[in-house]
mmCIF file of all heavy atoms in Angstrom:
data_model
loop_
_atom_site.group_PDB
_atom_site.id
_atom_site.type_symbol
_atom_site.label_atom_id
_atom_site.label_comp_id
_atom_site.label_asym_id
_atom_site.label_seq_id
_atom_site.Cartn_x
_atom_site.Cartn_y
_atom_site.Cartn_z
ATOM 1 N N VAL F 1 66.731 11.789 -46.922
ATOM 2 C CA VAL F 1 66.935 12.928 -47.878
ATOM 3 C C VAL F 1 66.931 14.263 -47.136
ATOM 4 O O VAL F 1 67.822 15.020 -47.380
ATOM 5 C CB VAL F 1 65.612 12.865 -48.836
ATOM 6 C CG1 VAL F 1 65.683 14.066 -49.796
ATOM 7 C CG2 VAL F 1 65.529 11.614 -49.652
ATOM 8 N N ALA F 2 65.981 14.510 -46.258
ATOM 9 C CA ALA F 2 65.920 15.787 -45.571
ATOM 10 C C ALA F 2 64.993 15.680 -44.437
ATOM 11 O O ALA F 2 64.134 14.879 -44.398
ATOM 12 C CB ALA F 2 65.380 16.983 -46.569
ATOM 13 N N ALA F 3 65.458 16.507 -43.423
ATOM 14 C CA ALA F 3 64.471 16.714 -42.219
ATOM 15 C C ALA F 3 64.324 18.134 -41.820
ATOM 16 O O ALA F 3 65.151 18.855 -42.089
ATOM 17 C CB ALA F 3 65.198 15.930 -41.071
ATOM 18 N N ILE F 4 63.250 18.329 -41.133
ATOM 19 C CA ILE F 4 62.963 19.693 -40.637
ATOM 20 C C ILE F 4 62.400 19.675 -39.158
ATOM 21 O O ILE F 4 61.534 18.810 -38.859
ATOM 22 C CB ILE F 4 61.998 20.461 -41.544
ATOM 23 C CG1 ILE F 4 61.835 21.923 -41.248
ATOM 24 C CG2 ILE F 4 60.620 19.704 -41.618
ATOM 25 C CD1 ILE F 4 61.174 22.634 -42.240
ATOM 26 N N ASN F 5 62.791 20.496 -38.390
ATOM 27 C CA ASN F 5 62.429 20.403 -36.961
ATOM 28 C C ASN F 5 60.972 21.008 -36.800
ATOM 29 O O ASN F 5 60.263 21.323 -37.795
ATOM 30 C CB ASN F 5 63.374 21.015 -36.085
ATOM 31 C CG ASN F 5 63.321 22.451 -36.051
ATOM 32 O OD1 ASN F 5 62.793 23.157 -36.964
ATOM 33 N ND2 ASN F 5 63.813 23.095 -34.957
ATOM 34 N N TRP F 6 60.433 21.007 -35.544
ATOM 35 C CA TRP F 6 59.124 21.326 -35.245
ATOM 36 C C TRP F 6 58.665 22.663 -35.765
ATOM 37 O O TRP F 6 57.571 22.874 -36.311
ATOM 38 C CB TRP F 6 58.824 21.154 -33.674
ATOM 39 C CG TRP F 6 59.044 19.756 -33.236
ATOM 40 C CD1 TRP F 6 58.101 18.958 -32.862
ATOM 41 C CD2 TRP F 6 60.266 19.166 -32.955
ATOM 42 N NE1 TRP F 6 58.631 17.722 -32.415
ATOM 43 C CE2 TRP F 6 60.001 17.872 -32.429
ATOM 44 C CE3 TRP F 6 61.566 19.610 -32.903
ATOM 45 C CZ2 TRP F 6 60.982 16.983 -32.022
ATOM 46 C CZ3 TRP F 6 62.554 18.713 -32.569
ATOM 47 C CH2 TRP F 6 62.245 17.515 -31.984
ATOM 48 N N SER F 7 59.530 23.738 -35.556
ATOM 49 C CA SER F 7 59.204 25.091 -36.069
ATOM 50 C C SER F 7 59.552 25.437 -37.448
ATOM 51 O O SER F 7 59.071 26.338 -37.983
ATOM 52 C CB SER F 7 59.956 26.054 -35.098
ATOM 53 O OG SER F 7 61.251 25.996 -35.270
ATOM 54 N N GLY F 8 60.358 24.614 -38.033
ATOM 55 C CA GLY F 8 60.960 24.889 -39.296
ATOM 56 C C GLY F 8 62.151 25.680 -39.258
ATOM 57 O O GLY F 8 62.694 25.970 -40.379
ATOM 58 N N ARG F 9 62.594 25.971 -38.079
ATOM 59 C CA ARG F 9 63.828 26.817 -37.958
ATOM 60 C C ARG F 9 65.084 26.085 -38.388
ATOM 61 O O ARG F 9 66.085 26.785 -38.829
ATOM 62 C CB ARG F 9 63.940 27.308 -36.500
ATOM 63 C CG ARG F 9 65.253 28.238 -36.181
ATOM 64 C CD ARG F 9 65.075 28.758 -34.842
ATOM 65 N NE ARG F 9 63.883 29.567 -34.557
ATOM 66 C CZ ARG F 9 63.653 30.234 -33.448
ATOM 67 N NH1 ARG F 9 64.339 30.036 -32.359
ATOM 68 N NH2 ARG F 9 62.559 30.970 -33.391
ATOM 69 N N SER F 10 65.284 24.685 -38.143
ATOM 70 C CA SER F 10 66.370 23.988 -38.472
ATOM 71 C C SER F 10 66.120 22.896 -39.574
ATOM 72 O O SER F 10 64.932 22.358 -39.554
ATOM 73 C CB SER F 10 66.948 23.323 -37.179
ATOM 74 O OG SER F 10 67.341 24.300 -36.222
ATOM 75 N N THR F 11 66.987 22.721 -40.407
ATOM 76 C CA THR F 11 66.825 21.776 -41.502
ATOM 77 C C THR F 11 68.166 20.788 -41.586
ATOM 78 O O THR F 11 69.291 21.373 -41.128
ATOM 79 C CB THR F 11 66.453 22.194 -42.818
ATOM 80 O OG1 THR F 11 67.621 23.169 -43.139
ATOM 81 C CG2 THR F 11 65.154 23.047 -42.788
ATOM 82 N N ASN F 12 68.100 19.705 -42.096
ATOM 83 C CA ASN F 12 69.211 18.856 -42.415
ATOM 84 C C ASN F 12 69.016 18.183 -43.709
ATOM 85 O O ASN F 12 67.909 17.772 -44.125
ATOM 86 C CB ASN F 12 69.308 17.868 -41.155
ATOM 87 C CG ASN F 12 70.684 17.007 -41.312
ATOM 88 O OD1 ASN F 12 71.598 17.512 -41.964
ATOM 89 N ND2 ASN F 12 70.674 15.831 -40.615
ATOM 90 N N TYR F 13 70.052 17.986 -44.555
ATOM 91 C CA TYR F 13 69.985 17.304 -45.872
ATOM 92 C C TYR F 13 71.174 16.416 -46.049
ATOM 93 O O TYR F 13 72.185 16.496 -45.594
ATOM 94 C CB TYR F 13 70.242 18.397 -46.922
ATOM 95 C CG TYR F 13 69.195 19.449 -46.976
ATOM 96 C CD1 TYR F 13 69.254 20.614 -46.213
ATOM 97 C CD2 TYR F 13 67.837 19.372 -47.670
ATOM 98 C CE1 TYR F 13 68.238 21.714 -46.265
ATOM 99 C CE2 TYR F 13 67.006 20.280 -47.738
ATOM 100 C CZ TYR F 13 67.110 21.540 -46.975
ATOM 101 O OH TYR F 13 66.180 22.460 -47.075
ATOM 102 N N ALA F 14 70.751 15.386 -46.694
ATOM 103 C CA ALA F 14 71.749 14.317 -47.228
ATOM 104 C C ALA F 14 72.702 15.075 -48.119
ATOM 105 O O ALA F 14 72.382 15.996 -48.939
ATOM 106 C CB ALA F 14 71.073 13.245 -47.923
ATOM 107 N N ASP F 15 73.986 14.703 -48.226
ATOM 108 C CA ASP F 15 74.957 15.286 -49.136
ATOM 109 C C ASP F 15 74.601 15.192 -50.508
ATOM 110 O O ASP F 15 74.871 16.169 -51.269
ATOM 111 C CB ASP F 15 76.360 14.568 -48.842
ATOM 112 C CG ASP F 15 76.881 14.959 -47.542
ATOM 113 O OD1 ASP F 15 76.430 15.962 -46.847
ATOM 114 O OD2 ASP F 15 77.864 14.248 -47.009
ATOM 115 N N SER F 16 73.906 14.174 -50.876
ATOM 116 C CA SER F 16 73.566 13.934 -52.253
ATOM 117 C C SER F 16 72.519 14.820 -52.731
ATOM 118 O O SER F 16 72.368 15.122 -54.049
ATOM 119 C CB SER F 16 73.006 12.531 -52.473
ATOM 120 O OG SER F 16 71.836 12.323 -51.650
ATOM 121 N N VAL F 17 71.850 15.586 -51.932
ATOM 122 C CA VAL F 17 70.835 16.480 -52.370
ATOM 123 C C VAL F 17 70.967 17.943 -51.905
ATOM 124 O O VAL F 17 70.181 18.869 -52.215
ATOM 125 C CB VAL F 17 69.414 16.053 -51.861
ATOM 126 C CG1 VAL F 17 69.040 14.683 -52.333
ATOM 127 C CG2 VAL F 17 69.167 16.187 -50.363
ATOM 128 N N LYS F 18 72.043 18.117 -50.950
ATOM 129 C CA LYS F 18 72.196 19.479 -50.505
ATOM 130 C C LYS F 18 72.528 20.513 -51.644
ATOM 131 O O LYS F 18 73.344 20.145 -52.482
ATOM 132 C CB LYS F 18 73.417 19.405 -49.616
ATOM 133 C CG LYS F 18 73.645 20.689 -48.706
ATOM 134 C CD LYS F 18 74.680 20.335 -47.687
ATOM 135 C CE LYS F 18 74.302 19.401 -46.660
ATOM 136 N NZ LYS F 18 75.339 19.138 -45.586
ATOM 137 N N GLY F 19 71.904 21.594 -51.583
ATOM 138 C CA GLY F 19 72.000 22.609 -52.542
ATOM 139 C C GLY F 19 71.072 22.477 -53.751
ATOM 140 O O GLY F 19 70.936 23.391 -54.541
ATOM 141 N N ARG F 20 70.329 21.446 -53.814
ATOM 142 C CA ARG F 20 69.393 21.171 -54.830
ATOM 143 C C ARG F 20 67.897 21.010 -54.414
ATOM 144 O O ARG F 20 67.010 21.416 -55.026
ATOM 145 C CB ARG F 20 69.694 19.893 -55.738
ATOM 146 C CG ARG F 20 71.000 19.889 -56.372
ATOM 147 C CD ARG F 20 71.204 18.538 -57.262
ATOM 148 N NE ARG F 20 71.165 17.392 -56.463
ATOM 149 C CZ ARG F 20 70.248 16.465 -56.637
ATOM 150 N NH1 ARG F 20 69.361 16.533 -57.600
ATOM 151 N NH2 ARG F 20 70.387 15.319 -56.029
ATOM 152 N N PHE F 21 67.795 20.447 -53.147
ATOM 153 C CA PHE F 21 66.431 20.169 -52.495
ATOM 154 C C PHE F 21 66.211 21.182 -51.403
ATOM 155 O O PHE F 21 67.303 21.498 -50.628
ATOM 156 C CB PHE F 21 66.233 18.775 -51.964
ATOM 157 C CG PHE F 21 66.256 17.712 -53.044
ATOM 158 C CD1 PHE F 21 66.469 17.951 -54.421
ATOM 159 C CD2 PHE F 21 65.964 16.431 -52.622
ATOM 160 C CE1 PHE F 21 66.428 16.988 -55.388
ATOM 161 C CE2 PHE F 21 65.888 15.536 -53.663
ATOM 162 C CZ PHE F 21 66.114 15.650 -54.995
ATOM 163 N N THR F 22 65.106 21.619 -51.240
ATOM 164 C CA THR F 22 64.656 22.415 -50.010
ATOM 165 C C THR F 22 63.444 21.880 -49.395
ATOM 166 O O THR F 22 62.415 21.633 -49.888
ATOM 167 C CB THR F 22 64.448 23.916 -50.426
ATOM 168 O OG1 THR F 22 65.491 24.477 -51.110
ATOM 169 C CG2 THR F 22 64.085 24.735 -49.283
ATOM 170 N N ILE F 23 63.583 21.631 -48.106
ATOM 171 C CA ILE F 23 62.488 21.160 -47.235
ATOM 172 C C ILE F 23 61.811 22.298 -46.568
ATOM 173 O O ILE F 23 62.539 23.234 -46.079
ATOM 174 C CB ILE F 23 62.976 19.992 -46.224
ATOM 175 C CG1 ILE F 23 61.779 19.416 -45.631
ATOM 176 C CG2 ILE F 23 63.966 20.540 -45.322
ATOM 177 C CD1 ILE F 23 62.065 18.214 -44.717
ATOM 178 N N SER F 24 60.596 22.377 -46.441
ATOM 179 C CA SER F 24 59.822 23.381 -45.778
ATOM 180 C C SER F 24 58.570 22.886 -45.198
ATOM 181 O O SER F 24 58.089 21.741 -45.529
ATOM 182 C CB SER F 24 59.522 24.632 -46.644
ATOM 183 O OG SER F 24 58.776 24.205 -47.769
ATOM 184 N N ARG F 25 57.986 23.641 -44.308
ATOM 185 C CA ARG F 25 56.665 23.213 -43.745
ATOM 186 C C ARG F 25 55.718 24.455 -43.539
ATOM 187 O O ARG F 25 56.266 25.546 -43.308
ATOM 188 C CB ARG F 25 56.915 22.427 -42.474
ATOM 189 C CG ARG F 25 57.459 23.343 -41.238
ATOM 190 C CD ARG F 25 57.791 22.409 -40.108
ATOM 191 N NE ARG F 25 56.747 21.713 -39.501
ATOM 192 C CZ ARG F 25 56.775 20.806 -38.624
ATOM 193 N NH1 ARG F 25 58.052 20.272 -38.339
ATOM 194 N NH2 ARG F 25 55.753 20.223 -38.173
ATOM 195 N N ASP F 26 54.456 24.117 -43.557
ATOM 196 C CA ASP F 26 53.387 25.177 -43.400
ATOM 197 C C ASP F 26 52.417 24.470 -42.273
ATOM 198 O O ASP F 26 51.597 23.761 -42.584
ATOM 199 C CB ASP F 26 52.643 25.507 -44.635
ATOM 200 C CG ASP F 26 51.626 26.662 -44.419
ATOM 201 O OD1 ASP F 26 51.318 26.981 -43.159
ATOM 202 O OD2 ASP F 26 51.209 27.281 -45.378
ATOM 203 N N ASN F 27 52.724 24.935 -41.040
ATOM 204 C CA ASN F 27 51.987 24.171 -39.906
ATOM 205 C C ASN F 27 50.542 24.591 -39.971
ATOM 206 O O ASN F 27 49.668 23.906 -39.457
ATOM 207 C CB ASN F 27 52.698 24.647 -38.538
ATOM 208 C CG ASN F 27 54.013 23.959 -38.364
ATOM 209 O OD1 ASN F 27 54.320 22.955 -39.030
ATOM 210 N ND2 ASN F 27 54.856 24.523 -37.511
ATOM 211 N N ALA F 28 50.248 25.958 -40.422
ATOM 212 C CA ALA F 28 48.827 26.299 -40.468
ATOM 213 C C ALA F 28 48.085 25.468 -41.534
ATOM 214 O O ALA F 28 46.971 25.247 -41.304
ATOM 215 C CB ALA F 28 48.803 27.711 -40.890
ATOM 216 N N LYS F 29 48.732 24.890 -42.530
ATOM 217 C CA LYS F 29 48.172 24.065 -43.572
ATOM 218 C C LYS F 29 48.293 22.510 -43.243
ATOM 219 O O LYS F 29 47.936 21.726 -44.088
ATOM 220 C CB LYS F 29 48.727 24.439 -45.009
ATOM 221 C CG LYS F 29 48.372 25.791 -45.225
ATOM 222 C CD LYS F 29 46.806 26.135 -45.534
ATOM 223 C CE LYS F 29 46.553 27.459 -46.001
ATOM 224 N NZ LYS F 29 45.187 27.708 -46.168
ATOM 225 N N ASN F 30 49.064 22.184 -42.159
ATOM 226 C CA ASN F 30 49.382 20.744 -41.922
ATOM 227 C C ASN F 30 49.930 20.148 -43.035
ATOM 228 O O ASN F 30 49.660 18.939 -43.348
ATOM 229 C CB ASN F 30 48.099 19.992 -41.509
ATOM 230 C CG ASN F 30 47.559 20.472 -40.220
ATOM 231 O OD1 ASN F 30 48.161 21.211 -39.455
ATOM 232 N ND2 ASN F 30 46.279 20.078 -39.910
ATOM 233 N N THR F 31 51.019 20.803 -43.678
ATOM 234 C CA THR F 31 51.617 20.362 -44.764
ATOM 235 C C THR F 31 53.073 20.556 -44.773
ATOM 236 O O THR F 31 53.587 21.694 -44.393
ATOM 237 C CB THR F 31 51.065 20.937 -46.145
ATOM 238 O OG1 THR F 31 49.664 20.786 -46.004
ATOM 239 C CG2 THR F 31 51.616 20.304 -47.401
ATOM 240 N N MET F 32 53.879 19.533 -45.249
ATOM 241 C CA MET F 32 55.221 19.623 -45.526
ATOM 242 C C MET F 32 55.631 19.617 -46.983
ATOM 243 O O MET F 32 54.916 18.839 -47.819
ATOM 244 C CB MET F 32 56.078 18.576 -44.721
ATOM 245 C CG MET F 32 57.514 18.649 -44.997
ATOM 246 S SD MET F 32 58.458 17.222 -44.174
ATOM 247 C CE MET F 32 57.698 15.798 -44.944
ATOM 248 N N PHE F 33 56.655 20.181 -47.528
ATOM 249 C CA PHE F 33 57.072 20.204 -48.901
ATOM 250 C C PHE F 33 58.517 19.939 -49.055
ATOM 251 O O PHE F 33 59.354 19.995 -48.296
ATOM 252 C CB PHE F 33 56.839 21.696 -49.401
ATOM 253 C CG PHE F 33 55.396 22.195 -49.106
ATOM 254 C CD1 PHE F 33 55.154 23.121 -48.125
ATOM 255 C CD2 PHE F 33 54.435 21.927 -50.109
ATOM 256 C CE1 PHE F 33 53.942 23.529 -48.015
ATOM 257 C CE2 PHE F 33 53.176 22.425 -49.924
ATOM 258 C CZ PHE F 33 52.839 23.193 -48.877
ATOM 259 N N LEU F 34 58.710 19.442 -50.280
ATOM 260 C CA LEU F 34 60.157 19.158 -50.714
ATOM 261 C C LEU F 34 60.298 19.682 -52.083
ATOM 262 O O LEU F 34 59.727 19.128 -53.016
ATOM 263 C CB LEU F 34 60.536 17.738 -50.618
ATOM 264 C CG LEU F 34 61.916 17.408 -51.154
ATOM 265 C CD1 LEU F 34 62.912 17.867 -49.979
ATOM 266 C CD2 LEU F 34 62.216 15.810 -51.246
#
């Protein structure tokens, strides 16, 4: 579906969800979001 690198600076999305889904992370909270 989607991937995000260690810092959150780079992301990658499947074509089927690109433009609709957003991956993010909050390292201070030890949490990733979609």
